[in-house]
């Protein structure tokens, strides 16, 4: 599962180049949706025949996909079934119950810092950091230098009109766009659903629903506040980040170079946290993550806990920045570690 246009289909075509042994179905196509609407086990056996692999691309577009997948696995146990989805909710929630214990789930994101380092080396990728902060890591963006803005415009439109709007049959797309723009402006800051609603002309419940849909379709993700001991810790706060810097900047129509920007801190924070999420997923780390802030405005950008160990991080683009580990945190959590991550040492955090 993962956003559209990150290479899920391309990856599968490389993994299974022998098309003669594969049944390939595209859930975006109406006739495939209609096929699954009333399919029986016997008819599906006839469609599969002697082939050993069934791939259902964009499976979230098929109604009751979880039950349909269970039908296939129950009636044709020798077939390897693979489904892709660009909506975690529509695929995962419908699959989890009927296929509990019988499936492996993987996430795929836009290209990562780590992958690009493997491609052309650490030095070259660090030189490209200003470019990545502006345009992000979508494969088409990386592979078509000079056309980044046009591609990102198409990608952001695809997000809004193909997945998000269809998923919940949203009636007011212009207000969803306003919400996305407001979220883009507030990257790195705590968000209030009530304030967002006032900005966009939406009630709080609708804002919450729209943000949930944006999470399910891999546009944004949420960080909650870390609070366990101290009374002055903020307990119910949240921040929202974009999975890709390029999408965030496209929503704001702002691709000014980083030397001329006032939001370099937000760009850097969004980049590092989204890349760390990729790192955690791709390396199968069992980790939880938050941000931390007190009522006195003391804060830490990122907290990660793995196997009971708490690691904390602060992010600054300028490598000459000096940050002191907040005494309130070190006093409450004495065994935690602290690191400042900047452009000169980001490999410690992302590799």
């Amino acid at each position: 599962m993962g956003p559209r246009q990150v290479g899920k289909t391309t990856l599968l075509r490389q993994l299974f180049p022998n098309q003669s042994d594969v049944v390939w179905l595209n859930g975006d196509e109406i006739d495939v949706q209609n096929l699954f609407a009333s399919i029986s086990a016997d008819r599906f056996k006839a469609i599969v025949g002697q082939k050993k692999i069934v791939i259902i691309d964009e499976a979230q577009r098929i109604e009751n996909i979880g039950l349909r997948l269970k039908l296939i696995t129950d009636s044709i146990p020798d077939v390897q079934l693979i489904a892709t989805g660009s909506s975690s909710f529509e695929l995962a929630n419908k699959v989890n119950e009927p296929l509990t214990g019988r499936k492996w789930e993987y996430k795929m994101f836009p290209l990562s810092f780590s992958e690009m380092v493997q491609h052309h080396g650490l030095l070259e990728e660090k030189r490209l950091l200003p470019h990545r902060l502006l345009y992000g890591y979508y494969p088409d963006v990386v592979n078509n230098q000079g056309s980044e803005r046009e591609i990102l415009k198409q990608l952001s439109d695809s997000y809004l009109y193909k997945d998000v709007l269809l998923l919940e049959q949203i009636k007011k797309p212009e207000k969803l766009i306003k919400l996305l723009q407001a979220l883009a402006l507030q990257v790195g800051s705590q968000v209030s659903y009530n304030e967002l609603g006032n900005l966009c002309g939406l009630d709080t419940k609708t804002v919450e629903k729209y943000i949930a849909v944006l999470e399910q379709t891999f546009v944004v993700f949420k960080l909650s506040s870390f609070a366990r001991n101290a009374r002055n810790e903020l307990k119910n706060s949240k921040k929202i980040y974009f999975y890709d810097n390029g999408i965030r900047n496209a929503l704001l129509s702002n691709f000014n170079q980083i030397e001329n920007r006032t939001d370099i801190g937000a760009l850097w924070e969004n980049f590092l946290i989204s890349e760390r999420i990729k790192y955690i997923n791709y390396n199968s780390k069992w980790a939880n993550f938050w941000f931390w802030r007190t009522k006195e405005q003391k804060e830490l950008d990122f907290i990660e806990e793995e196997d009971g160990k708490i690691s904390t991080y602060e992010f600054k683009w300028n490598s000459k920045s000096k940050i002191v580990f907040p005494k309130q945190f070190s006093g409450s959590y004495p065994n935690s570690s602290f690191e400042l991550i900047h452009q000169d040492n980001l490999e410690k955090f992302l590799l």
Side-chain angles (χ1 to χ4, degrees):
M1 295 183 294
R4 286 184 180 269
Q5 302 297 310
V6 296
K8 299 187 297 295
T9 304
T10 300
L11 176 61
L12 288 177
R13 292 198 183 280
Q14 291 180 350
L15 288 172
F16 304 101
N18 181 11
Q19 296 298 307
S20 63
D21 200 33
V22 177
V23 176
W24 195 291
L25 302 170
N26 186 346
D28 272 335
E29 296 175 352
I30 297 298
D31 58 344
V32 172
Q33 296 173 22
N34 292 337
L35 170 68
F36 277 93
S38 58
I39 197 165
S40 65
D42 288 339
R43 187 179 178 196
F44 206 88
K45 286 180 182 178
I47 292 171
V48 173
Q50 299 300 311
K51 297 185 178 181
K52 299 299 182 183
I53 299 167
V54 174
I55 295 174
I56 306 173
D57 209 9
E58 298 299 347
Q60 84 284 347
R61 301 282 285 120
I62 298 170
E63 191 171 356
N64 295 320
I65 182 60
L67 295 175
R68 303 297 183 243
L69 296 178
K70 184 177 185 296
L71 173 70
I72 298 170
T73 55
D74 287 347
S75 59
I76 322 176
D78 293 335
V79 162
Q80 172 69 63
L81 177 62
I82 300 168
T84 80
S86 55
S87 164
S88 62
F89 177 80
E90 286 295 297
L91 189 57
N93 283 11
K94 289 182 179 180
V95 171
N96 276 340
E97 185 176 345
L99 291 178
T100 301
R102 291 192 286 165
K103 69 178 178 67
W104 290 92
E105 189 175 294
Y106 302 94
K107 289 182 180 178
M108 187 172 181
F109 302 98
L111 293 169
S112 68
F113 176 82
S114 174
E115 288 172 307
M116 294 309 299
V117 167
Q118 292 176 46
H119 174 64
H120 57 199
L122 178 61
L123 180 59
E124 180 65 21
E125 191 56 24
K126 291 182 77 168
R127 286 172 176 167
L128 286 167
L129 277 176
H131 195 77
R132 306 301 191 210
L133 292 182
L134 294 186
Y135 298 114
Y137 273 128
Y138 268 84
D140 277 351
V141 171
V142 171
N143 288 327
N144 293 280
Q145 290 189 10
S147 301
E148 293 93 345
R149 298 186 185 202
E150 294 80 5
I151 293 170
L152 284 166
K153 176 65 166 62
Q154 294 173 9
L155 284 170
S156 59
D157 285 350
S158 173
Y159 265 141
L160 298 177
Y161 297 107
K162 193 162 190 179
D163 274 338
V164 181
L165 299 182
L166 285 174
L167 186 60
E168 286 292 332
Q169 298 180 339
I170 291 171
K171 306 298 184 184
K172 298 177 180 178
E174 71 283 355
K175 293 193 174 181
L176 176 65
I177 295 170
K178 283 185 179 179
L179 175 61
L180 277 162
Q181 291 170 337
L183 292 173
L185 287 168
Q186 294 187 33
V187 161
S189 301
Q190 295 170 82
V191 298
S192 160
Y193 288 177
N194 185 52
E195 290 179 8
L196 288 169
N198 291 335
L199 283 171
C200 305
L202 296 167
D203 63 75
T204 303
K205 287 186 177 180
T206 302
V207 169
E208 187 173 0
K209 172 186 172 183
Y210 283 9
I211 289 176
V213 174
L214 291 168
E215 288 184 274
Q216 291 152 14
T217 50
F218 299 96
V219 181
V220 302
F221 62 93
K222 189 188 305 173
L223 275 192
S224 298
S225 53
F226 178 91
R228 291 183 180 173
N229 295 329
R231 290 183 179 180
N232 64 342
E233 291 175 330
L234 297 182
K235 295 177 173 59
N236 298 310
S237 296
K238 49 195 161 291
K239 294 184 179 183
I240 293 176
Y241 297 89
F242 285 77
Y243 276 106
D244 187 74
N245 272 39
I247 295 294
R248 183 261 183 186
N249 292 330
L251 287 164
L252 297 176
S253 300
N254 184 357
F255 292 104
N256 286 333
Q257 295 300 309
I258 60 170
E259 292 82 3
N260 303 320
R261 300 185 72 114
T262 59
D263 61 350
I264 181 60
L267 288 175
W268 184 235
E269 187 172 328
N270 195 93
F271 175 84
L272 286 176
I273 294 178
S274 62
E275 287 302 308
R276 184 66 178 183
I277 299 302
K278 297 175 192 177
Y279 174 86
I280 289 170
N281 275 275
Y282 290 160
N283 289 276
S284 301
K285 290 170 67 69
W286 193 266
N288 295 315
F289 37 86
W290 308 267
F291 75 95
W292 176 82
R293 194 171 189 182
T294 69
K295 295 175 183 177
E296 295 78 29
Q297 311 302 305
K298 301 294 184 182
E299 67 178 310
L300 289 164
D301 289 331
F302 194 75
I303 295 176
E304 187 173 303
E305 184 179 36
E306 184 179 19
D307 295 332
K309 180 184 178 183
I310 297 175
S311 303
T312 72
Y313 303 91
E314 189 71 14
F315 306 134
K316 295 293 181 184
W317 172 248
N318 188 343
S319 59
K320 297 180 181 179
S321 298
K322 303 294 182 183
I323 299 293
V324 177
F325 192 14
K327 291 182 180 179
Q328 293 93 327
F329 193 92
S330 58
S332 298
Y333 311 100
N335 295 320
S336 56
S337 65
F338 172 75
E339 283 195 76
L340 173 63
I341 304 299
H342 46 72
Q343 57 182 306
D344 289 348
N345 72 349
L346 80 162
E347 61 268 25
K348 294 170 62 177
F349 189 59
L350 301 181
L351 297 179

